[in-house]
Amino acid sequence: MLGHKLITIVSFLFLVTGFAIYHVYSTVESTVEQMHEPLKFPESTFRSTPILIEEKPPLSFLLLGVDERENDRGRADTMIVVTVNPTDNTTKIISIPRDTYTTLIGLNKEDKINHSYAFGGVEMVKATVENLMQIPIDYTVSINMEGFIGLVDAVEGVDVENNLTFEVDDFKYQLGPIHLQGEQALAFVRMRYDDPNGDFGRQERQKIVLNAIFNKLKSFNSVWKYKELLAVAGDNVHTNLTFDEMKKIFKDYKEAFSHLESLSLQEGHGQISDGVWYYVLDTHELEKIQLQLQTHLELKD
Protein backbone atom coordinates (compact mmCIF):
# COMPACT_ATOMS: atom_id res chain seq x y z
CA MET A 1 0.00 0.00 0.00
CA LEU A 2 2.81 2.38 0.93
CA GLY A 3 4.49 1.65 -2.40
CA HIS A 4 1.31 2.51 -4.29
CA LYS A 5 0.97 5.76 -2.31
CA LEU A 6 4.58 6.66 -3.04
CA ILE A 7 4.10 5.98 -6.76
CA THR A 8 0.93 8.08 -6.70
CA ILE A 9 2.72 10.98 -4.97
CA VAL A 10 5.71 10.81 -7.34
CA SER A 11 3.38 10.60 -10.33
CA PHE A 12 1.44 13.61 -9.07
CA LEU A 13 4.63 15.64 -8.54
CA PHE A 14 5.83 14.63 -12.01
CA LEU A 15 2.55 15.76 -13.57
CA VAL A 16 2.59 19.06 -11.66
CA THR A 17 6.19 19.71 -12.67
CA GLY A 18 5.45 18.79 -16.26
CA PHE A 19 2.41 21.04 -16.31
CA ALA A 20 4.43 23.91 -14.85
CA ILE A 21 7.19 23.51 -17.44
CA TYR A 22 4.65 23.25 -20.27
CA HIS A 23 2.77 26.28 -18.96
CA VAL A 24 5.93 28.39 -18.78
CA TYR A 25 7.02 27.17 -22.23
CA SER A 26 3.66 27.99 -23.79
CA THR A 27 3.52 31.32 -21.94
CA VAL A 28 7.03 32.18 -23.16
CA GLU A 29 6.02 31.38 -26.73
CA SER A 30 2.88 33.52 -26.58
CA THR A 31 4.78 36.34 -24.87
CA VAL A 32 7.47 36.32 -27.56
CA GLU A 33 4.74 36.49 -30.18
CA GLN A 34 3.41 39.55 -28.38
CA MET A 35 6.91 41.07 -28.27
CA HIS A 36 7.76 40.23 -31.87
CA GLU A 37 7.84 43.17 -34.29
CA PRO A 38 9.43 42.50 -37.69
CA LEU A 39 11.53 45.37 -39.00
CA LYS A 40 10.31 47.15 -42.12
CA PHE A 41 13.84 47.07 -43.56
CA PRO A 42 15.44 43.91 -42.12
CA GLU A 43 18.31 43.48 -44.57
CA SER A 44 21.55 45.31 -43.82
CA THR A 45 23.76 46.82 -46.51
CA PHE A 46 26.74 45.81 -44.38
CA ARG A 47 26.23 42.08 -45.08
CA SER A 48 26.74 40.69 -48.56
CA THR A 49 24.45 37.71 -47.87
CA PRO A 50 21.72 37.09 -45.25
CA ILE A 51 22.75 35.15 -42.15
CA LEU A 52 21.64 31.55 -41.63
CA ILE A 53 21.33 31.08 -37.88
CA GLU A 54 21.43 27.29 -38.31
CA GLU A 55 25.09 27.71 -39.32
CA LYS A 56 25.95 29.48 -36.01
CA PRO A 57 27.38 32.68 -37.51
CA PRO A 58 28.63 35.59 -35.40
CA LEU A 59 25.66 37.83 -34.56
CA SER A 60 25.06 41.44 -33.60
CA PHE A 61 22.37 42.96 -31.41
CA LEU A 62 21.20 46.50 -30.73
CA LEU A 63 19.70 46.95 -27.25
CA LEU A 64 17.61 50.08 -26.78
CA GLY A 65 16.29 51.65 -23.60
CA VAL A 66 13.46 53.85 -24.86
CA ASP A 67 12.00 56.74 -22.89
CA GLU A 68 8.40 56.94 -24.10
CA ARG A 69 5.84 59.10 -22.36
CA GLU A 70 2.24 60.08 -23.04
CA ASN A 71 1.85 62.20 -26.21
CA ASP A 72 5.58 61.86 -26.90
CA ARG A 73 7.23 59.61 -29.52
CA GLY A 74 10.18 59.28 -27.17
CA ARG A 75 13.92 58.91 -27.51
CA ALA A 76 16.36 56.03 -27.33
CA ASP A 77 18.23 57.08 -24.19
CA THR A 78 20.23 53.86 -23.98
CA MET A 79 21.94 52.31 -27.01
CA ILE A 80 24.10 49.24 -26.54
CA VAL A 81 25.69 47.24 -29.35
CA VAL A 82 26.51 43.60 -28.65
CA THR A 83 28.45 41.26 -30.93
CA VAL A 84 28.77 37.55 -30.16
CA ASN A 85 31.09 35.03 -31.77
CA PRO A 86 30.34 31.33 -31.09
CA THR A 87 33.63 30.22 -32.64
CA ASP A 88 35.89 31.76 -30.01
CA ASN A 89 33.02 31.97 -27.47
CA THR A 90 33.34 35.70 -26.80
CA THR A 91 30.98 38.66 -26.61
CA LYS A 92 31.78 42.35 -27.02
CA ILE A 93 29.54 45.11 -25.71
CA ILE A 94 29.69 48.86 -26.20
CA SER A 95 27.41 51.73 -25.17
CA ILE A 96 26.93 54.59 -27.59
CA PRO A 97 26.72 57.99 -25.85
CA ARG A 98 23.17 59.33 -26.30
CA ASP A 99 24.40 62.79 -27.36
CA THR A 100 26.72 61.47 -30.08
CA TYR A 101 26.76 63.82 -33.08
CA THR A 102 26.28 61.76 -36.23
CA THR A 103 24.35 61.44 -39.49
CA LEU A 104 20.77 60.26 -39.01
CA ILE A 105 20.22 57.79 -41.84
CA GLY A 106 16.96 58.46 -43.62
CA LEU A 107 17.04 62.17 -42.86
CA ASN A 108 20.57 62.85 -44.10
CA LYS A 109 21.13 65.42 -41.37
CA GLU A 110 23.51 65.68 -38.43
CA ASP A 111 21.96 65.45 -34.98
CA LYS A 112 22.14 63.64 -31.65
CA ILE A 113 21.95 59.90 -32.26
CA ASN A 114 19.18 59.40 -29.69
CA HIS A 115 16.90 61.70 -31.72
CA SER A 116 16.83 59.06 -34.47
CA TYR A 117 14.15 57.13 -32.56
CA ALA A 118 11.82 60.14 -32.44
CA PHE A 119 12.23 60.71 -36.19
CA GLY A 120 12.08 57.13 -37.46
CA GLY A 121 11.63 54.58 -34.70
CA VAL A 122 13.73 51.44 -34.33
CA GLU A 123 14.40 51.25 -38.09
CA MET A 124 16.14 54.64 -38.17
CA VAL A 125 18.11 53.91 -34.99
CA LYS A 126 19.28 50.60 -36.47
CA ALA A 127 20.33 52.18 -39.78
CA THR A 128 22.06 55.06 -37.99
CA VAL A 129 23.97 52.77 -35.63
CA GLU A 130 24.99 50.52 -38.53
CA ASN A 131 26.37 53.53 -40.38
CA LEU A 132 28.17 54.84 -37.30
CA MET A 133 29.76 51.52 -36.32
CA GLN A 134 30.12 50.23 -39.91
CA ILE A 135 28.67 46.82 -39.05
CA PRO A 136 25.34 45.07 -39.69
CA ILE A 137 22.80 44.88 -36.87
CA ASP A 138 21.04 41.51 -37.02
CA TYR A 139 18.62 41.83 -34.12
CA THR A 140 17.09 44.67 -32.14
CA VAL A 141 15.61 44.56 -28.65
CA SER A 142 13.95 47.64 -27.16
CA ILE A 143 12.48 48.10 -23.69
CA ASN A 144 10.39 51.00 -22.47
CA MET A 145 12.30 52.46 -19.53
CA GLU A 146 9.08 52.69 -17.52
CA GLY A 147 8.83 48.91 -18.00
CA PHE A 148 12.31 48.73 -16.49
CA ILE A 149 10.65 49.52 -13.14
CA GLY A 150 8.43 46.45 -13.47
CA LEU A 151 11.39 44.28 -14.43
CA VAL A 152 13.41 45.22 -11.34
CA ASP A 153 10.38 44.81 -9.08
CA ALA A 154 9.63 41.42 -10.68
CA VAL A 155 13.06 40.14 -9.60
CA GLU A 156 12.43 41.54 -6.09
CA GLY A 157 14.98 44.33 -6.46
CA VAL A 158 18.72 44.23 -7.12
CA ASP A 159 21.88 44.64 -5.05
CA VAL A 160 24.63 46.81 -6.53
CA GLU A 161 27.88 48.46 -5.46
CA ASN A 162 27.57 52.24 -5.67
CA ASN A 163 30.72 54.36 -6.13
CA LEU A 164 29.12 57.82 -5.97
CA THR A 165 27.01 59.57 -3.32
CA PHE A 166 24.12 61.51 -4.88
CA GLU A 167 20.44 62.39 -4.62
CA VAL A 168 17.87 62.35 -7.43
CA ASP A 169 14.05 62.22 -7.55
CA ASP A 170 13.86 62.22 -3.73
CA PHE A 171 16.10 59.12 -3.59
CA LYS A 172 19.41 59.13 -1.72
CA TYR A 173 22.22 56.83 -2.84
CA GLN A 174 25.07 56.14 -0.42
CA LEU A 175 28.50 54.73 -1.18
CA GLY A 176 28.91 50.99 -1.03
CA PRO A 177 26.40 48.15 -1.38
CA ILE A 178 22.79 49.28 -1.84
CA HIS A 179 19.50 47.54 -2.61
CA LEU A 180 17.32 49.07 -5.33
CA GLN A 181 13.64 48.58 -6.09
CA GLY A 182 12.16 49.52 -9.46
CA GLU A 183 11.76 53.31 -9.26
CA GLN A 184 15.01 53.66 -7.32
CA ALA A 185 16.85 51.62 -9.96
CA LEU A 186 15.45 53.70 -12.82
CA ALA A 187 16.51 56.97 -11.17
CA PHE A 188 19.90 55.38 -10.41
CA VAL A 189 20.62 54.52 -14.06
CA ARG A 190 19.19 57.77 -15.45
CA MET A 191 21.21 60.24 -13.36
CA ARG A 192 24.09 61.93 -15.18
CA TYR A 193 24.17 65.67 -14.39
CA ASP A 194 25.61 65.20 -10.89
CA ASP A 195 28.10 62.59 -12.09
CA PRO A 196 31.63 63.93 -12.72
CA ASN A 197 31.86 61.40 -15.56
CA GLY A 198 28.59 62.56 -17.10
CA ASP A 199 27.02 60.13 -19.54
CA PHE A 200 29.92 57.69 -19.14
CA GLY A 201 29.14 57.34 -15.43
CA ARG A 202 25.50 56.75 -16.34
CA GLN A 203 26.49 54.04 -18.83
CA GLU A 204 28.56 52.32 -16.16
CA ARG A 205 25.62 52.29 -13.73
CA GLN A 206 23.41 50.86 -16.48
CA LYS A 207 25.84 47.98 -16.95
CA ILE A 208 26.00 47.37 -13.18
CA VAL A 209 22.22 47.19 -12.84
CA LEU A 210 21.77 45.05 -15.96
CA ASN A 211 24.36 42.60 -14.64
CA ALA A 212 22.58 42.53 -11.25
CA ILE A 213 19.25 41.78 -12.97
CA PHE A 214 20.87 38.99 -14.99
CA ASN A 215 22.38 37.44 -11.86
CA LYS A 216 19.02 37.65 -10.08
CA LEU A 217 17.29 35.91 -12.97
CA LYS A 218 19.81 33.07 -12.82
CA SER A 219 19.09 32.56 -9.11
CA PHE A 220 15.34 32.01 -9.52
CA ASN A 221 14.35 28.38 -8.93
CA SER A 222 10.56 28.71 -9.25
CA VAL A 223 8.95 28.48 -12.69
CA TRP A 224 5.94 30.38 -11.36
CA LYS A 225 8.04 33.53 -10.82
CA TYR A 226 8.55 33.83 -14.55
CA LYS A 227 4.85 34.58 -15.10
CA GLU A 228 5.38 38.03 -13.58
CA LEU A 229 8.55 38.57 -15.60
CA LEU A 230 6.85 37.52 -18.82
CA ALA A 231 3.95 39.87 -18.14
CA VAL A 232 6.42 42.76 -17.84
CA ALA A 233 8.26 41.68 -20.99
CA GLY A 234 5.09 41.27 -23.04
CA ASP A 235 3.95 44.80 -22.26
CA ASN A 236 7.28 46.60 -22.57
CA VAL A 237 9.75 44.70 -24.78
CA HIS A 238 9.79 44.65 -28.58
CA THR A 239 12.15 42.65 -30.80
CA ASN A 240 12.51 41.27 -34.30
CA LEU A 241 13.66 37.96 -32.79
CA THR A 242 11.30 35.03 -33.24
CA PHE A 243 10.72 32.37 -30.60
CA ASP A 244 12.65 29.78 -32.63
CA GLU A 245 15.58 32.18 -33.04
CA MET A 246 15.62 32.86 -29.30
CA LYS A 247 15.75 29.13 -28.55
CA LYS A 248 18.53 28.60 -31.08
CA ILE A 249 20.59 31.51 -29.74
CA PHE A 250 20.14 30.40 -26.15
CA LYS A 251 21.32 26.90 -27.05
CA ASP A 252 24.21 27.70 -29.39
CA TYR A 253 25.53 31.01 -28.03
CA LYS A 254 25.13 30.53 -24.27
CA GLU A 255 28.83 29.90 -23.66
CA ALA A 256 29.86 32.94 -25.75
CA PHE A 257 27.59 35.23 -23.72
CA SER A 258 29.46 34.17 -20.58
CA HIS A 259 32.74 35.72 -21.77
CA LEU A 260 32.12 39.44 -21.99
CA GLU A 261 34.49 42.23 -23.01
CA SER A 262 33.34 45.80 -22.48
CA LEU A 263 34.46 48.44 -25.00
CA SER A 264 34.01 52.21 -24.70
CA LEU A 265 33.87 55.45 -26.67
CA GLN A 266 35.17 58.15 -24.34
CA GLU A 267 38.02 59.98 -26.07
CA GLY A 268 35.74 62.43 -27.87
CA HIS A 269 34.84 65.98 -26.85
CA GLY A 270 31.83 68.17 -26.19
CA GLN A 271 30.76 70.77 -28.72
CA ILE A 272 28.03 73.42 -28.58
CA SER A 273 26.25 74.27 -31.83
CA ASP A 274 23.30 76.70 -31.95
CA GLY A 275 23.06 76.43 -28.18
CA VAL A 276 22.84 72.63 -28.19
CA TRP A 277 25.51 70.39 -26.62
CA TYR A 278 26.75 67.42 -28.67
CA TYR A 279 29.33 64.72 -28.09
CA VAL A 280 31.78 64.45 -30.99
CA LEU A 281 33.50 61.07 -31.22
CA ASP A 282 37.25 60.81 -31.61
CA THR A 283 37.82 59.58 -35.18
CA HIS A 284 40.81 57.38 -34.35
CA GLU A 285 39.03 55.72 -31.41
CA LEU A 286 35.88 55.16 -33.48
CA GLU A 287 37.83 53.52 -36.32
CA LYS A 288 39.56 51.26 -33.80
CA ILE A 289 36.20 50.16 -32.34
CA GLN A 290 34.74 49.66 -35.82
CA LEU A 291 37.61 47.35 -36.76
CA GLN A 292 37.29 45.36 -33.52
CA LEU A 293 33.59 44.76 -34.10
CA GLN A 294 34.03 43.96 -37.80
CA THR A 295 36.74 41.43 -36.95
CA HIS A 296 34.63 39.94 -34.17
CA LEU A 297 31.77 39.45 -36.65
CA GLU A 298 34.28 37.86 -39.07
CA LEU A 299 33.66 40.56 -41.66
CA LYS A 300 37.38 41.31 -41.65
CA ASP A 301 40.40 39.07 -41.20
Side-chain angles (χ1 to χ4, degrees):
M1 182 66 68
L2 179 61
H4 287 300
K5 286 184 178 180
L6 182 60
I7 292 173
T8 301
I9 292 171
V10 171
S11 299
F12 175 75
L13 291 175
F14 178 79
L15 287 173
V16 169
T17 303
F19 173 78
I21 292 172
Y22 170 78
H23 179 75
V24 170
Y25 181 89
S26 61
T27 303
V28 168
E29 187 170 16
S30 62
T31 300
V32 173
E33 290 176 358
Q34 182 181 349
M35 293 161 48
H36 182 63
E37 287 190 358
L39 295 175
K40 296 176 184 176
F41 312 105
E43 299 301 329
S44 172
T45 58
F46 289 90
R47 279 199 193 278
S48 57
T49 57
I51 59 169
L52 296 175
I53 198 167
E54 296 79 12
E55 298 178 357
K56 293 178 60 175
L59 298 175
S60 60
F61 302 82
L62 175 60
L63 312 181
L64 302 175
V66 179
D67 190 359
E68 290 180 313
R69 302 177 188 185
E70 190 174 355
N71 301 319
D72 182 7
R73 178 65 185 269
R75 292 179 176 85
D77 276 353
T78 300
M79 285 163 284
I80 299 175
V81 173
V82 178
T83 59
V84 55
N85 189 310
T87 302
D88 61 11
N89 281 328
T90 58
T91 296
K92 296 185 187 296
I93 180 172
I94 183 166
S95 294
I96 301 175
R98 65 197 294 275
D99 296 322
T100 296
Y101 189 67
T102 190
T103 301
L104 303 190
I105 302 302
L107 288 182
N108 296 320
K109 62 174 286 188
E110 306 293 311
D111 203 342
K112 291 185 180 183
I113 193 168
N114 74 324
H115 289 180
S116 57
Y117 185 86
F119 287 120
V122 174
E123 283 84 2
M124 186 176 288
V125 182
K126 173 182 179 292
T128 298
V129 170
E130 285 183 331
N131 182 67
L132 177 67
M133 307 309 292
Q134 293 291 291
I135 61 169
I137 295 295
D138 301 312
Y139 298 107
T140 62
V141 181
S142 62
I143 179 171
N144 187 335
M145 293 305 285
E146 293 303 318
F148 178 82
I149 295 174
L151 177 60
V152 175
D153 284 338
V155 299
E156 301 172 352
V158 293
D159 297 304
V160 300
E161 187 75 22
N162 183 31
N163 62 4
L164 179 68
T165 299
F166 64 92
E167 296 183 22
V168 62
D169 295 344
D170 297 325
F171 296 121
K172 295 181 180 180
Y173 302 91
Q174 302 298 326
L175 284 176
I178 57 176
H179 181 79
L180 302 174
Q181 292 299 134
E183 291 188 1
Q184 293 172 299
L186 182 60
F188 182 77
V189 300
R190 273 181 166 166
M191 192 282 288
R192 62 177 179 143
Y193 293 114
D194 293 331
D195 193 319
N197 292 320
D199 198 41
F200 299 112
R202 189 175 73 103
Q203 291 173 26
E204 189 58 34
R205 285 193 299 279
Q206 289 171 357
K207 292 177 184 177
I208 290 173
V209 172
L210 287 173
N211 188 58
I213 293 173
F214 179 69
N215 288 334
K216 204 66 177 291
L217 287 171
K218 290 192 299 183
S219 70
F220 282 154
N221 56 14
S222 171
V223 293
W224 303 113
K225 189 63 182 175
Y226 283 99
K227 291 179 65 178
E228 187 176 348
L229 291 167
L230 291 170
V232 172
D235 291 337
N236 297 284
V237 177
H238 301 286
T239 179
N240 64 329
L241 280 160
T242 66
F243 185 55
D244 287 340
E245 287 171 331
M246 285 187 182
K247 290 190 296 181
K248 187 70 174 173
I249 290 169
F250 178 79
K251 175 178 178 291
D252 293 342
Y253 296 77
K254 182 168 57 175
E255 180 66 23
F257 281 121
S258 299
H259 301 91
L260 188 69
E261 178 187 359
S262 183
L263 309 177
S264 63
L265 289 165
Q266 53 184 333
E267 294 180 8
H269 64 275
Q271 174 179 298
I272 296 178
S273 177
D274 295 328
V276 180
W277 191 90
Y278 299 94
Y279 183 71
V280 180
L281 298 177
D282 177 80
T283 302
H284 177 72
E285 181 185 44
L286 176 59
E287 290 175 348
K288 180 180 176 182
I289 294 295
Q290 288 171 344
L291 182 58
Q292 283 184 274
L293 297 181
Q294 290 165 356
T295 303
H296 197 230
L297 289 172
E298 298 180 2
L299 302 173
K300 295 230 181 211
D301 295 330

